[in-house]
Amino acid sequence: KPKVGIVGEILVKFHPTANNDIVGLLEDEGAEAVVPDLLDFFLYSSYNSIITHRDYIKRDWKKAFLSGLAIKFIESYRHVMKRELKNSKRFTPQVPITELANGAKKHLSLGNQMGEGWFLTAEMVELIENDVTNIVCLQPFACLPNHITGKGMIQELKKSYPESNIAPIDFDPGASEVNQINRIKLMLSAANKNLINKNKIPKKVIDKEAM
């Protein structure tokens, strides 16, 4: 079954009420939902202070030092889990926040720190490089930072990863749920075609999985 990564604004990405239970929808449509770790967002917020101190005008060594300690503290709690996931045949461990940043800065400046900022692009890069080429990018309507580093980066990512299949979806009380579902199904249609072409899977097997 096709794997579909879920990225976007933090509330819309994780809260099933805000995103109309997109994980359930994807699973009902025969796909496997891949949702990045929530703690990575807190690591991103801490790492921003280090980036700002190191690369940009604002020099605040104390804040950068404390942020480095916070990152080490969080990673110490994830150490055992990451070790077990690495030994698993089915799952992959979370990558360090420095690797996420290095993946993102190939495509945009790490000075993009409003909202999800460069972290949103970093998550898409990580998913694609781990063979999750189908992605839904969720955003509240008119969320400017999200539109810039999410929807605005799709063409850039397609240049570097032609196999990527990314669908931006706006979530808003005034947005049509039917339109959202149709866009997701259109993305899944392309995902299934790509899966058939890549693995030479008979179409009837894909259709049976989706039932």
Side-chain angles (χ1 to χ4, degrees):
K1 59 178 66 176
K3 295 181 178 180
V4 180
I6 301 175
V7 301
E9 193 272 337
I10 187 167
L11 175 65
V12 179
K13 178 169 65 173
F14 288 108
H15 203 299
T17 302
N19 60 37
N20 295 329
D21 191 20
I22 193 170
V23 171
L25 173 62
L26 291 171
E27 292 175 346
D28 289 343
E29 292 292 328
E32 177 184 344
V34 181
V35 185
D37 196 317
L38 173 62
L39 271 181
D40 282 337
F41 180 80
F42 295 94
L43 291 171
Y44 150 76
S45 300
S46 297
Y47 194 58
N48 276 344
S49 297
I50 297 174
I51 294 171
T52 302
H53 172 72
R54 184 187 64 199
D55 300 333
Y56 298 98
I57 295 173
K58 188 177 180 181
R59 300 289 180 180
D60 190 342
W61 67 266
K62 184 176 181 181
K63 190 174 182 180
F65 175 75
L66 292 175
S67 295
L69 290 180
I71 291 172
K72 290 181 179 180
F73 178 75
I74 293 173
E75 289 290 13
S76 69
Y77 270 86
R78 299 206 301 184
H79 173 70
V80 175
M81 178 178 67
K82 291 172 74 172
R83 183 187 65 202
E84 296 302 321
L85 289 174
K86 185 177 181 180
N87 294 330
S88 169
K89 295 180 180 180
R90 296 180 179 270
F91 305 99
T92 55
Q94 300 88 348
V95 301
I97 191 63
T98 51
E99 287 188 25
L100 286 173
N102 288 336
K105 71 180 182 181
K106 299 174 186 177
H107 306 281
L108 82 170
S109 167
L110 299 186
N112 289 283
Q113 297 182 0
M114 296 295 103
E116 280 62 39
W118 59 263
F119 178 65
L120 179 49
T121 303
E123 284 189 318
M124 290 194 283
V125 170
E126 183 201 4
L127 286 167
I128 295 170
E129 291 185 347
N130 282 279
D131 206 29
V132 183
T133 55
N134 309 296
I135 298 172
V136 285
C137 183
L138 315 183
Q139 55 226 353
F141 179 74
C143 178
L144 186 58
N146 225 289
H147 279 266
I148 293 172
T149 57
K151 183 186 290 186
M153 293 302 299
I154 292 176
Q155 290 303 318
E156 167 65 21
L157 292 176
K158 283 185 177 291
K159 290 179 184 177
S160 300
Y161 308 98
E163 73 280 11
S164 62
N165 175 27
I166 307 172
I169 311 291
D170 287 347
F171 284 85
D172 187 75
S176 168
E177 185 175 353
V178 173
N179 184 50
Q180 295 165 355
I181 293 173
N182 286 340
R183 290 178 64 85
I184 293 168
K185 288 188 174 184
L186 186 63
M187 181 274 300
L188 287 174
S189 176
N192 283 322
K193 288 180 181 178
N194 292 338
L195 188 64
I196 292 170
N197 294 332
K198 180 179 179 181
N199 298 321
K200 307 301 182 184
I201 300 173
K203 186 177 183 299
K204 62 182 180 180
V205 175
I206 297 291
D207 293 339
K208 184 178 180 181
E209 286 286 341
M211 293 177 63

